[in-house]
Amino acid sequence: MDPNKLGYAHEIILKQYLPDIANLEIRHDDVFVISYPKSGTTWTLHIVCQIFKEDRNNTDKSIFEEIPYLEFPQGHDLAAIDTIPGQYELLDIMSSPRVIKSHLKPHNLPRDMKVKAPKVIYVARNPKDTAVSAYNFCKLLPGFPTLEEWPDFFEHFCKGTGPRGSWFEHVLTYWKQSRNDPNKLFLKFEDMKKDLKGAVSTISEFLERSLSEASLDLIVNNSTFSAMRSNPKTNPDLNPGELNKIPAQFFRKGKVGDWKNYFTVAQNESFDVLYTEKLRGSDLTFEFEPSHL
Ligand code: PPS
């Protein structure tokens, strides 16, 4: 793919879509699930879709077919990338409440969001595990600019010039916006891992949908790593559609702490210095160790 067509860094985003996305009409009852890639987006979307189950009539579709990915093309034919319509073009005909996935930074989101104030769920994951997950995903994507070796990927991740742009900039911008805004919920992957039931309750309260104890338990059971990995509607590797042309393993490990299998001692020390410097004064903290609860 021609890197000049990409929006920033090597982000998998097509510049040609950005003006249209900025001008999209938003509805007050839209729900956006936004993240830096590989932070638990699909997990969160699956929970949101189950909470809205009664409102939705597309439940036969996989989550990837049902939920528009705002800045992504309608298909994976990279040879036709100049002419492929964007998934944002599907939004108009969707019934409400629309659930929308995006990895865009705030300045690229539809301007109308400031007026309509839809609900936004932002999910963040500790940057070490995010980097490892992104590294494994990106190196398997055909046709996209890749950084095959972990040391290269690590360097770019630290500088914010890797395939997914700056983690620090993304997460900190949304963190600042989410605080004191009742229409924005900031979730952490590690908290979801530690207390999935608590996370589902938090999301349902935020969406103003009360759940019976039985529905809550059902959603929790359907949203574990093993349940989602074996479900063709949530795991693109099992989906016979367009998406299984991507040979990446989507449900790889789903753990907190896998970074230890990749970071050298020196990389870990230098990353800790960078992390401390970047997050200083933000009140934002992450857990890097698995919970033993
Ligand atoms: S994407 O492509 O940006 O939308 O990817 P995203 O969905 O944000 O993140 C994929 C990682 O989330 C893990 N995952 C889960 N972990 C634990 N429990 C559940 N239910 C779950 N669902 C998805 C997935 O395995 C990816 O992480 P890694 O570490 O690569 O396994």
Side-chain angles (χ1 to χ4, degrees):
M1 192 190 295
D2 176 358
N4 294 323
K5 298 212 175 89
L6 303 170
Y8 40 84
H10 294 282
E11 187 86 15
I12 303 166
I13 166 180
L14 296 172
K15 276 182 180 170
Q16 74 224 36
Y17 296 157
L18 291 179
D20 283 353
I21 291 175
N23 288 323
L24 279 176
E25 200 172 314
I26 294 307
R27 302 177 194 160
H28 175 64
D29 58 1
D30 286 341
V31 176
F32 283 77
V33 174
I34 302 180
S35 65
Y36 185 88
K38 312 318 287 183
S39 301
T41 332
T42 315
W43 194 6
T44 308
L45 282 168
H46 183 49
I47 294 170
V48 170
C49 286
Q50 291 175 92
I51 292 171
F52 278 145
K53 198 162 185 251
E54 259 89 79
D55 303 78
R56 313 184 70 75
N57 46 19
N58 287 330
T59 41
D60 285 347
K61 292 186 175 174
S62 82
I63 198 164
F64 298 91
E65 293 161 325
E66 186 188 350
I67 305 297
Y69 177 175
L70 193 63
E71 64 273 20
F72 210 72
Q74 291 181 36
H76 292 86
D77 182 2
L78 296 181
I81 209 78
D82 284 334
T83 51
I84 260 180
Q87 294 193 22
Y88 69 86
E89 293 178 53
L90 304 168
L91 282 172
D92 254 5
I93 52 164
M94 282 178 70
S95 53
S96 294
R98 304 183 298 188
V99 180
I100 301 162
K101 164 183 170 172
S102 181
H103 297 307
L104 287 176
K105 292 181 203 167
H107 69 272
N108 285 132
L109 288 173
R111 282 190 283 267
D112 201 22
M113 286 173 76
K114 292 208 174 82
V115 181
K116 305 287 172 45
K119 289 194 192 312
V120 174
I121 301 177
Y122 186 86
V123 57
R125 184 181 192 181
N126 85 61
K128 295 180 188 176
D129 283 322
T130 304
V132 166
S133 181
Y135 165 66
N136 280 288
F137 191 70
C138 290
K139 78 173 175 172
L140 291 168
L141 288 174
F144 289 126
T146 56
L147 297 161
E148 299 281 346
E149 302 299 330
W150 166 248
D152 289 343
F153 191 95
F154 173 78
E155 286 299 317
H156 281 280
F157 188 84
C158 293
K159 284 192 245 157
T161 52
R164 301 302 204 163
S166 168
W167 179 89
F168 294 103
E169 191 187 332
H170 206 284
V171 173
L172 284 170
T173 312
Y174 278 104
W175 169 246
K176 282 176 198 147
Q177 285 194 353
S178 304
R179 308 184 83 194
N180 309 319
D181 184 339
N183 287 319
K184 297 196 170 83
L185 176 67
F186 193 99
L187 296 175
K188 293 182 198 166
F189 182 101
E190 295 74 23
D191 293 341
M192 292 168 70
K193 203 69 199 161
K194 208 178 345 182
D195 179 10
L196 183 52
K197 192 167 181 174
V200 175
S201 290
T202 302
I203 296 171
S204 73
E205 276 165 34
F206 175 70
L207 296 176
E208 299 171 77
R209 299 291 160 118
S210 59
L211 295 172
S212 66
E213 196 58 24
S215 305
L216 183 60
D217 287 340
L218 185 66
I219 294 176
V220 170
N221 285 338
N222 289 340
S223 307
T224 62
F225 180 79
S226 57
M228 288 183 65
R229 186 171 54 176
S230 55
N231 181 352
K233 289 185 185 160
T234 52
N235 185 348
D237 302 342
L238 304 176
N239 194 316
E242 184 75 19
L243 277 154
N244 76 341
K245 290 183 187 146
I246 296 177
Q249 193 189 3
F250 199 87
F251 285 83
R252 203 181 52 89
K253 291 193 181 168
K255 287 185 175 163
V256 181
D258 186 42
W259 59 270
K260 290 180 185 176
N261 295 317
Y262 290 80
F263 280 59
T264 63
V265 172
Q267 285 172 340
N268 193 35
E269 283 172 4
S270 72
F271 194 84
D272 283 346
V273 171
L274 179 70
Y275 174 84
T276 307
E277 182 192 308
K278 293 273 193 188
L279 267 66
R280 185 173 293 129
S282 69
D283 283 342
L284 179 61
T285 55
F286 284 92
E287 288 171 32
F288 295 89
E289 303 291 332
S291 153
H292 296 292
L293 286 179

